[in-house]
């Protein structure tokens, strides 16, 4: 039973399209995150939710909109996709202040 | 100065040797430190956490923390080819509950 599951695993789409990535955790953690890993493998936080409340919103274009319907789910919607959005997006969860458990990642390619 | 700094490598060690991976951080108030292992094309996996000065051992892995020097390291004894991966140092920084990652050190264990 996967602890943090993300779908889809791969996403290839054209510029200008809108896409969503879904994440679910069954660990009972209170905090969920979205991280972006670029081509140089640098992991940078985008958003964090604690018990459905947005607590971290880094400098991310407002084309990116997270949504947490409950504390086990965190989705990421991206409008008007650009070439520079191509990256691997990781969902993660944790207890506040503890180490993360990552999902398997979504490799987004914008063409 | 980057918040979390690592040498990108690659660090090449022969099989059976000790691999030493280093990380420095800028926030003196940081209290929690983690090491993640990331195989190519996979998600980061938590391998060690350390919260107080000194050494913490888990199997072949030893994490070392020196808060006065703002330095955390990971030693891998009896290195195996399966240890070849990128090792990410992560630190809770600032007042917000988020992990800040270093850029990672690529380790190659040679036969």
């Amino acid at each position: 039973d996967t602890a943090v599951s993300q779908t889809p695993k791969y996403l290839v789409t054209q510029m200008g399209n809108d896409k969503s990535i879904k994440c679910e955790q069954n660990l009972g953690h209170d905090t969920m995150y979205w991280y972006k890993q670029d081509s140089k493998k640098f992991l940078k936080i985008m958003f964090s939710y604690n018990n459905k409340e947005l607590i971290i919103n880094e400098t991310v274009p407002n084309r990116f909109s997270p949504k947490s319907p409950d504390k086990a789910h965190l989705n990421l919607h991206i409008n008007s996709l650009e070439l520079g959005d191509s990256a691997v997006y990781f969902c993660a969860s944790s207890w506040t202040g503890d180490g993360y458990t990552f999902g398997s990642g979504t490799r987004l390619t914008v063409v | 100065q980057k918040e979390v700094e690592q040498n990108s490598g690659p660090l090449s060690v022969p099989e059976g040797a000790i691999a030493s991976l280093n990380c420095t951080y800028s926030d003196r108030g940081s209290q929690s430190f983690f090491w993640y292992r990331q195989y190519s094309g996979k998600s980061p996996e938590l391998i060690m956490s350390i919260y107080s000065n000194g050494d913490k051992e888990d199997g072949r892995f030893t994490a070392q923390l020196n808060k006065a020097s703002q330095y955390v390291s990971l030693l891998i004894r009896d290195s195996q080819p399966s240890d070849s991966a990128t090792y990410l140092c992560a630190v809770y920084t600032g007042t917000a509950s988020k992990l800040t990652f270093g850029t990672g050190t690529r380790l190659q264990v040679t036969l």
Side-chain angles (χ1 to χ4, degrees):
Chain A
D1 203 16
T2 305
V4 181
S5 59
Q6 273 181 251
T7 54
K9 193 168 174 64
Y10 299 97
L11 196 48
V12 181
T13 188
Q14 291 187 325
M15 281 175 53
N17 284 351
D18 303 339
K19 289 293 178 186
S20 292
I21 307 171
K22 295 187 175 183
C23 179
E24 176 181 1
Q25 56 100 359
N26 63 8
L27 298 167
H29 288 160
D30 60 0
T31 310
M32 296 185 73
Y33 313 84
W34 280 112
Y35 274 75
K36 179 181 180 180
Q37 189 168 47
D38 60 24
S39 57
K40 294 183 178 173
K41 307 301 182 189
F42 181 58
L43 268 170
K44 184 169 170 53
I45 192 165
M46 300 173 70
F47 304 103
S48 170
Y49 273 77
N50 180 272
N51 286 317
K52 301 195 301 175
E53 181 184 348
L54 179 66
I55 57 171
I56 293 174
N57 184 349
E58 293 288 298
T59 308
V60 176
N62 58 15
R63 298 181 294 103
F64 291 79
S65 52
K67 191 165 288 187
S68 181
D70 56 61
K71 76 171 199 173
H73 295 84
L74 179 61
N75 303 322
L76 183 65
H77 188 75
I78 316 170
N79 289 327
S80 304
L81 278 154
E82 300 178 356
L83 292 175
D85 297 332
S86 296
V88 181
Y89 292 84
F90 285 104
C91 175
S93 71
S94 75
W95 294 111
T96 303
D98 209 351
Y100 297 174
T101 301
F102 281 89
S104 57
T106 297
R107 183 174 295 275
L108 172 66
T109 304
V110 182
V111 297
Chain B
Q1 183 188 5
K2 290 182 183 175
E3 291 181 273
V4 181
E5 294 207 54
Q6 296 179 255
N7 188 320
S8 61
L11 172 66
S12 186
V13 300
E15 185 177 5
I18 296 175
S20 178
L21 304 157
N22 304 314
C23 173
T24 58
Y25 59 94
S26 61
D27 184 353
R28 281 201 169 273
S30 297
Q31 297 293 324
S32 307
F33 307 86
F34 304 87
W35 283 99
Y36 284 80
R37 177 177 61 199
Q38 187 174 24
Y39 293 112
S40 181
K42 300 294 185 183
S43 58
E45 173 193 9
L46 179 63
I47 54 172
M48 288 289 285
S49 59
I50 188 165
Y51 305 97
S52 51
N53 282 328
D55 294 1
K56 179 182 176 183
E57 189 174 316
D58 183 1
R60 295 187 296 112
F61 298 101
T62 299
Q64 299 175 316
L65 175 61
N66 184 325
K67 290 184 181 179
S69 301
Q70 295 174 245
Y71 177 92
V72 58
S73 65
L74 179 71
L75 301 178
I76 306 174
R77 289 182 300 281
D78 187 24
S79 294
Q80 302 296 309
S82 58
D83 295 326
S84 298
T86 296
Y87 289 81
L88 301 164
C89 173
V91 178
Y92 268 100
T93 57
T95 55
S97 289
K98 65 170 184 178
L99 275 179
T100 298
F101 286 82
T103 52
T105 298
R106 189 157 64 93
L107 173 65
Q108 293 177 337
V109 180
T110 57
L111 295 171

